Amino acid sequence: MSDGPGTAGGRGAQLKHTGLRHGWTTGACATAATKAAYTALLTAEFPDPVTITLPKGQTPSFALAAGELAGELAGEQSEAWAMAGVIKDAGDDPDVTHGALIRSTVRLLPPGSGVVFRAGPGVGTVTRPGLPLEVGEPAINPVPRQLMRAQVAEVAERHGGAGDVEITVSVDNGEEIARSTWNPRLGILGGLSILGTTGIVVPYSCSAWIDSIRRGVDVARAAGRTHVAGCTGSTSERTVRTEYALPEDALLDMGDFAGAVLTYLRRHPVPRLTLCGGFAKLSKLAAGHLDLHSSRSQVDKSFLATLAADAGADAALATEVSQANTGLAALQLCQSQDIPLGNLVATRARDEALRVLRGAPVLVDVICIDRAGTVVGRSEPR
């Protein structure tokens, strides 16, 4: 099945002024596949490309990568089904699901059944409370479900169907891909989640990561956790486990998104928060940066020199710190003269976190580590 003029299948659209292509969420791809499959059930023909309407009114078209129809006069067969597949194009975003084949298999149900969703191979099932879906439900999020229902209703009206269908969404190799996502930690087992609130993937917006942070907080709260930890990576996670023996569902893989953790906890507080990460990264938070990625914030060595001077460093050491090649080098300079720069950074980072929390009932402490996971600075809880 070939791509048509102006279609989105395999080619995201270019964003104005950035040179980057946006892409399409798994939810948008599943919706397109569902519309194509249900249309085939009622007409015996697959639309290719297939056009859908997204929540903000955009109407992208998707080329089909797979299609199968069972039953001759499909619309009159109670056991009839059709499957359509769309390859996800995430544009220029580094999305682990880029290139995945999203399939939707649609079966007719008895009148009055409505739309029923099932998890096929590669799509997970919810096993813990705290997510926007009930335990036992397929991990197909509310907005994609709404999109699929709307397309089913549109196709039914156009082609004389009843709109009573079972939709089974699957993702080729989805269970393997899901191992590199938050899903296992969130209690979504067996595969990926079908996600998307707008249907569009904006390159480097990292919206999926931030959404996973929020879902991680929700799951921890639902499990009754009173202490969670925002960690910048696997080494900091190991450190927190050693320090506090926290369960897996209390660990938030915040990466560079300290601000996302703090702003969500401001609205959905947990009694205790530990932030743990590399010294250089957390020095950025201490200096007031909430996005710790190297492309969006830099280690401010002048700021570190000021902290060191306030703690008793002489002018010569302060100058060396301000001219250090890296944050770690600045730390080592201070360590050599017993200036507790690690503790100072951790304390300032804690105070910045408290500023963002704006009085939310969350006790905060910060742990700074080096690349080996050794604790090089910490704050008192406050």
Side-chain angles (χ1 to χ4, degrees):
M1 297 183 177
S2 62
D3 198 359
T7 65
R11 298 198 303 274
Q14 185 167 310
L15 291 172
K16 293 180 180 178
H17 310 305
T18 67
L20 298 175
R21 297 180 310 119
H22 69 238
W24 314 104
T25 63
T26 50
C29 295
T31 299
T34 296
K35 181 175 182 179
Y38 188 39
T39 300
L41 269 179
L42 299 182
T43 68
E45 296 289 338
F46 287 92
D48 186 15
V50 57
T51 301
I52 64 171
T53 301
L54 297 179
K56 293 186 178 180
Q58 302 96 329
T59 55
S61 296
F62 297 78
L64 297 189
E68 185 177 355
L69 177 63
E72 293 183 0
L73 296 174
E76 299 177 3
Q77 301 288 325
S78 61
E79 297 299 319
W81 59 268
M83 181 278 295
V86 169
I87 292 176
K88 174 172 174 177
D89 178 10
D92 288 327
D93 195 66
D95 190 317
V96 295
T97 58
H98 176 71
L101 180 57
I102 316 296
R103 301 177 188 263
S104 178
T105 300
V106 179
R107 298 177 184 272
L108 299 179
L109 292 178
S113 298
V115 177
V116 177
F117 294 96
R118 306 289 184 203
V123 171
T125 298
V126 176
T127 66
R128 294 180 190 167
L131 296 170
L133 298 166
E134 296 295 325
V135 170
E137 282 289 310
I140 303 170
N141 272 21
V143 171
R145 290 182 185 225
Q146 179 182 341
L147 287 175
M148 283 183 260
R149 288 191 185 99
Q151 294 302 311
V152 164
E154 177 187 308
V155 171
E157 182 177 2
R158 180 176 301 172
H159 299 294
D164 299 295
V165 295
E166 175 190 83
I167 300 171
T168 301
V169 181
S170 59
V171 181
D172 289 18
N173 302 313
E175 187 166 5
E176 180 179 348
I177 297 170
R179 295 192 185 104
S180 61
T181 73
W182 271 49
N183 277 15
R185 179 170 295 175
L186 295 175
I188 297 171
L189 303 183
L192 292 162
S193 301
I194 303 302
L195 301 172
T197 54
T198 65
I200 297 174
V201 175
V202 177
Y204 296 94
S205 69
C206 299
S207 58
W209 195 321
I210 292 171
D211 187 62
S212 293
I213 289 171
R214 294 168 178 164
R215 299 294 77 78
V217 172
D218 293 342
V219 167
R221 283 165 51 91
R225 304 303 177 200
T226 58
H227 186 178
V228 297
C231 305
T232 58
S234 57
T235 303
S236 55
E237 281 196 1
R238 288 195 295 271
T239 300
V240 166
R241 282 184 177 274
T242 300
E243 292 284 325
Y244 297 116
L246 293 176
E248 186 178 59
D249 61 9
L251 301 177
L252 307 173
D253 183 9
M254 75 175 180
D256 296 311
F257 302 107
V261 171
L262 294 168
T263 55
Y264 197 69
L265 283 173
R266 185 171 68 211
R267 301 190 302 274
H268 309 277
V270 173
R272 176 80 181 270
L273 167 68
T274 296
L275 296 176
C276 184
F279 168 81
K281 242 183 224 307
L282 290 181
S283 77
K284 298 179 187 181
L285 175 61
H289 298 288
L290 299 181
D291 186 335
L292 311 182
H293 194 275
S294 59
S295 68
R296 295 181 286 273
S297 61
Q298 301 296 320
V299 175
D300 186 343
K301 291 181 282 289
S302 295
F303 168 72
L304 296 179
T306 299
L307 288 183
D310 290 345
D314 60 27
L317 176 58
T319 298
E320 285 188 88
V321 169
S322 69
Q323 297 174 353
N325 190 42
T326 64
L328 182 59
L331 174 67
Q332 291 169 340
L333 285 168
C334 289
Q335 287 175 326
S336 70
Q337 296 194 32
D338 295 324
I339 300 296
L341 186 60
N343 290 344
L344 296 171
V345 163
T347 299
R348 288 291 289 268
R350 177 205 64 193
D351 292 346
E352 180 63 20
L354 290 170
R355 182 190 69 79
V356 177
L357 286 167
R358 298 180 188 171
V362 182
L363 188 71
V364 180
D365 71 300
V366 174
I367 299 175
C368 298
I369 61 173
D370 63 16
R371 290 192 179 94
T374 302
V375 175
V376 296
R378 66 193 317 155
S379 74
E380 293 294 326
R382 179 176 158 190

